[in-house]
Amino acid sequence: MSPKITTELLKQLRQVMKSPKYVQEPVQAYIVPSGDAHQSEYIAPCDCRRAFISGFDGSAGTAIVTEQHAAMWTDGRYFLQAAHQMDNNWTLMKMGLKDTPTQEDWLVSVLPEGSKVGVDPFIIPADQWKRMSKALRSAGHDLVPVKENLIDTIWTDCPQRPCKPLITLDLSYTGVSWRDKIVALRSKMAERKVLWFVVTALDEVAWLFNLRGSDVEYNPVFFAYAVIGMNTIRLFIDGDRMMDPAVREHLQLNSTLEPEFKIQVMPYGSILSELQAVAAGLSPKEKVWLSDKASYALTEAIPKAYRYLTPYTPICIAKAVKNASETEGMRRAHVKDAVALCELFNWLEKEVPKGTVTEIIAADKAEEFRSQQKEFVELSFATISSTGPNGAIIHYKPVPETNRTLSVNEIYLLDSGAQYKDGTTDVTRTMHFGTPSAYEKECFTYVLKGHIAVSAAIFPNGTKGHLLDSFARSALWDCGLDYLHGTGHGVGSFLNVHEGPCGISYKTFADEPLEAGMIVSDEPGYYEDGSFGIRIENVVLVIPAETKYNFKNRGSLTFEPLTLVPIQTKMIDVNLLTEKERNWVNDYHQKCREVIGAELERQGRHEALRWLMRETEPLIRVQ
């Protein structure tokens, strides 16, 4: 993979950083975050500004360009990828390592006195602006909003913003109507004595109105904002998609509704002026509720005295706790996904020894099998299909330059998922098509022990996911091993594959407590640079747990795996497992046989069924 040559682009950017046409005063540094105006993790091509200027296209990272320097901050998932994709104009800042300076400290160390640091106020979240502005001010510098995005001024062939048709979801999928969701939101607003609520995250807009879209690849969302008042609803959205009769009926746009449920459709670009108008009409003590991750531009539209900011919105929290219809949909989606993967792994076992299967072919085959399942919409992220040393690149995506052929001599890691109309999947399996070495089996078994430790954990109500992160690492830590990513993330219901406010990660202590109905991933791993990668991932549902005692009557929770795909037993060193762990694997495989076996039978996929039966033979301790 040859890096992007950025010398000319950086020269152009440095010129516009000084141009009175674009900046009131020259800026000595310019920040390019990786998100969009909705602070999305996955973004549309027109918003991939950080990738355009640097060549690095991972899902997380911040670029900062000064007169003399260009630096990129990213996390452990992307160290190898960023190093491959960026040329020597760039310095890689490895976040999480103790010698890596923060963005603010680095800026203070390289900038001349009294510098101006520019950023697009629509792209930077308000909480980040606040933190950065304070740190820079204390060192005599200023963080300044630059109205026109400077990357856009030099990006001559920037793609158009997508505006694709919408999908309506009925009650059989959502379990709750959009009107009832508005009622619930207004009751939360009343509790906090708030008059207005601004919805800025794309998945929150989609969830609130029971709509989905395809403006962003892998994420069934669409570009929109919403402003909910106590008796008004404003939806800011562009294009003729609101003329679709199914959408109009779903939102009851042609009906004579009670005024508090009548949706006013407004242009997407008018959100700022509308918010300013709302702010102008506020009386003292009246408040507007926003996420503290909303953009600095929208947050500033509301004077400070009228703002009510929280890290997580009531929509974010309600969306995370799946109702019975959503949970059932997620179960169905995971059964379909398991059928597709049983077909894939059966096919790979036959084809890999022939030496004709590459990482890209395997990824395409996985998509082909998934697309045969009912209500398949698209993939839920770019498939991570990696063999041998490529497996050590945590968020690797095969491209022709790096595309290795699968073989019987290397570990193969496949992390993939899909969007079905009834649910979202994300599953990782690591396998060997020949004979794994004793060391590979040992590492795999430590990862499996961590996966089981989380999956089988019983913990009190009110526990935050980050407390479970070390459960997944304990077996690895015992042997001096570890991995540089979190252990789990929330998963949406036919929505984003990564969602807050819950997760299992040492990287954040700001997660919300786990509660029954939340859905998260359980995905410890181990990566040996230049050799292999191992990860075992299931999506799990938080459920109440039965315990012998009930301390202070607070109740307990545990996890139920929704993913039902065999874990390759030949990669397991059975002697390293306790009896409890061995039983967990056998019980899990028995459930795969019962649930997925029945569905393979129903779909007439007999060869894949035979593969499933072979792969789920009970583990027996070798004496």
Side-chain angles (χ1 to χ4, degrees):
M1 189 191 299
S2 50
K4 177 169 181 170
I5 306 304
T6 60
T7 308
E8 186 53 37
L9 286 176
L10 288 169
K11 187 176 154 196
Q12 290 172 21
L13 177 60
R14 287 172 176 138
Q15 280 166 351
V16 296
M17 282 162 61
K18 294 182 283 212
S19 163
K21 188 175 168 189
Y22 302 113
V23 287
Q24 285 175 324
E25 290 181 73
V27 293
Q28 285 69 47
Y30 189 65
I31 303 172
V32 188
S34 67
D36 58 14
H38 303 268
Q39 286 62 57
S40 313
E41 179 188 12
Y42 290 91
I43 54 179
C46 58
D47 289 316
C48 296
R49 299 178 178 95
R50 187 250 302 147
F52 169 75
I53 194 66
S54 69
F56 167 56
D57 64 3
S59 69
T62 300
I64 302 184
V65 177
T66 67
E67 288 290 333
Q68 265 85 43
H69 307 276
M72 175 70 67
W73 280 258
T74 191
D75 63 59
R77 295 172 298 172
Y78 293 118
F79 292 167
L80 291 176
Q81 181 181 330
H84 287 156
Q85 291 183 325
M86 297 192 305
D87 67 8
N88 56 13
N89 286 307
W90 291 85
T91 305
L92 176 58
M93 299 293 186
K94 297 180 175 181
M95 291 162 69
L97 303 190
K98 66 175 188 294
D99 295 336
T100 304
T102 63
Q103 294 165 27
E104 296 88 338
D105 287 348
W106 180 79
L107 280 166
V108 168
S109 72
V110 301
L111 287 175
E113 266 179 50
S115 287
K116 301 246 181 293
V117 177
V119 66
D120 179 339
F122 276 95
I123 308 297
I124 188 167
D127 60 344
Q128 204 179 318
W129 173 286
K130 191 175 168 184
R131 197 173 57 242
M132 202 159 217
S133 178
K134 191 176 171 186
L136 290 171
R137 205 171 332 129
S138 67
H141 307 296
D142 274 328
L143 186 61
V144 296
V146 178
K147 209 167 182 180
E148 187 154 3
N149 190 292
L150 298 186
I151 301 294
D152 294 355
T153 66
I154 62 169
W155 191 356
T156 48
D157 56 352
C158 177
Q160 286 283 301
R161 182 162 302 283
C163 192
K164 295 180 181 166
L166 302 177
I167 300 167
T168 61
L169 291 182
D170 64 35
L171 279 175
S172 67
Y173 296 103
T174 65
V176 181
S177 71
W178 64 261
R179 289 174 59 144
D180 287 343
K181 289 180 179 181
I182 297 275
V183 169
L185 175 60
R186 284 176 174 152
S187 79
K188 292 281 182 201
M189 289 161 62
E191 274 172 30
R192 311 283 178 107
K193 301 187 171 49
V194 165
L195 275 197
W196 299 92
F197 182 85
V198 185
V199 194
T200 54
L202 298 182
D203 62 334
E204 294 189 18
V205 177
W207 181 87
L208 183 63
F209 291 103
N210 291 338
L211 290 169
R212 300 292 186 268
S214 56
D215 286 357
V216 179
E217 194 178 17
Y218 311 124
N219 296 253
V221 296
F222 51 91
F223 286 103
Y225 295 97
V227 176
I228 312 300
M230 275 310 190
N231 44 29
T232 60
I233 303 169
R234 296 176 201 177
L235 179 60
F236 297 82
I237 185 167
D238 276 350
D240 55 8
R241 46 195 175 179
M242 298 308 284
M243 302 316 292
D244 176 349
V247 173
R248 295 191 73 78
E249 187 182 339
H250 174 79
L251 296 175
Q252 300 174 284
L253 294 179
N254 300 336
S255 316
T256 42
L257 288 173
E258 310 90 302
E260 67 267 27
F261 292 116
K262 189 117 190 88
I263 297 172
Q264 297 166 261
V265 178
M266 310 188 99
Y268 174 72
S270 66
I271 178 72
L272 187 61
S273 55
E274 283 295 320
L275 269 188
Q276 287 163 338
V278 162
L282 291 170
S283 312
K285 293 200 172 165
E286 290 183 342
K287 298 275 186 188
V288 178
W289 193 345
L290 295 114
S291 162
D292 67 4
K293 285 160 203 61
S295 71
Y296 175 71
L298 293 190
T299 308
E300 278 297 293
I302 310 296
K304 200 169 178 181
Y306 299 106
R307 271 181 230 155
Y308 181 72
L309 302 181
T310 55
Y312 296 112
T313 70
I315 298 179
C316 177
I317 293 164
K319 176 166 58 64
V321 181
K322 312 301 187 260
N323 61 43
S325 304
E326 291 170 320
T327 304
E328 271 319 296
M330 288 291 269
R331 280 187 210 283
R332 285 196 303 273
H334 282 83
V335 169
K336 291 184 280 199
D337 219 50
V339 166
L341 288 177
C342 288
E343 284 278 23
L344 174 74
F345 295 142
N346 173 57
W347 182 83
L348 286 175
E349 258 180 22
K350 291 183 301 186
E351 299 299 318
V352 168
K354 299 176 187 172
T356 55
V357 180
T358 63
E359 292 167 333
I360 291 176
I361 288 170
D364 290 347
K365 198 73 182 172
E367 182 170 5
E368 181 191 316
F369 283 128
R370 282 188 163 107
S371 68
Q372 295 167 7
Q373 294 299 311
K374 267 173 41 186
E375 300 195 308
F376 170 83
V377 178
E378 63 174 335
L379 300 183
S380 54
F381 55 95
T383 300
I384 301 169
S385 171
S386 53
T387 184
N390 288 344
I393 302 172
I394 296 168
H395 267 213
Y396 171 81
K397 180 187 175 206
V399 290
E401 301 84 69
T402 61
N403 189 21
R404 277 176 85 85
T405 301
L406 277 60
S407 85
V408 294
N409 304 314
E410 289 183 340
I411 288 179
Y412 176 62
L413 184 158
L414 180 77
D415 184 348
S416 61
Q419 298 286 4
Y420 301 94
K421 205 171 167 189
D422 46 9
T424 302
T425 67
D426 180 3
V427 48
T428 309
R429 288 295 179 265
T430 305
M431 42 211 341
H432 204 296
F433 299 106
T435 307
S437 69
Y439 178 60
E440 288 168 339
K441 286 174 71 168
E442 183 187 3
C443 293
F444 182 92
T445 308
Y446 295 145
V447 172
L448 175 61
K449 286 167 83 74
H451 178 94
I452 295 168
V454 171
S455 197
I458 295 175
F459 48 93
N461 255 313
T463 300
K464 291 187 170 189
H466 70 257
L467 289 179
L468 303 178
D469 184 77
S470 51
F471 286 35
R473 298 174 196 272
S474 179
L476 287 160
W477 283 351
D478 280 349
C479 303
L481 303 178
D482 200 2
Y483 54 94
L484 292 179
H485 58 76
T487 300
H489 53 81
V491 180
S493 183
F494 183 30
L495 259 181
N496 297 357
V497 75
H498 294 162
E499 72 168 22
C502 52
I504 302 173
S505 179
Y506 64 96
K507 293 181 179 184
T508 177
F509 300 134
D511 46 331
E512 285 288 306
L514 294 167
E515 56 179 289
M518 286 182 169
I519 292 179
V520 294
S521 68
D522 169 10
E523 51 179 313
Y526 175 66
Y527 310 88
E528 193 127 317
D529 287 359
S531 299
F532 62 81
I534 293 165
R535 185 160 63 252
I536 303 169
E537 175 185 21
N538 283 348
V539 169
V540 296
L541 170 69
V542 183
I543 57 169
E546 292 298 318
T547 51
K548 186 176 178 184
Y549 302 112
N550 188 6
F551 179 72
K552 296 211 180 292
N553 218 27
R554 65 184 177 184
S556 294
L557 299 169
T558 186
F559 296 112
E560 176 200 331
L562 297 178
T563 307
L564 294 172
V565 177
I567 294 164
Q568 195 180 42
T569 51
K570 77 165 158 189
M571 285 289 288
I572 302 172
D573 181 342
V574 183
N575 293 315
L576 292 176
L577 296 182
T578 63
E579 186 184 359
K580 197 173 168 187
E581 290 164 339
R582 209 164 58 243
N583 290 341
W584 184 94
V585 173
N586 288 340
D587 292 346
Y588 178 73
H589 279 158
Q590 183 56 34
K591 191 168 182 190
C592 292
R593 278 187 168 190
E594 288 166 9
V595 178
I596 309 309
E599 185 61 18
L600 285 164
E601 183 75 62
R602 201 184 68 71
Q603 293 190 23
R605 298 175 183 271
H606 300 298
E607 200 180 318
L609 175 58
R610 286 194 291 278
W611 176 88
L612 171 76
M613 299 308 281
R614 281 198 307 276
E615 289 295 309
T616 50
E617 287 289 329
L619 292 178
I620 299 160
R621 189 180 170 85
V622 185
Q623 293 306 324

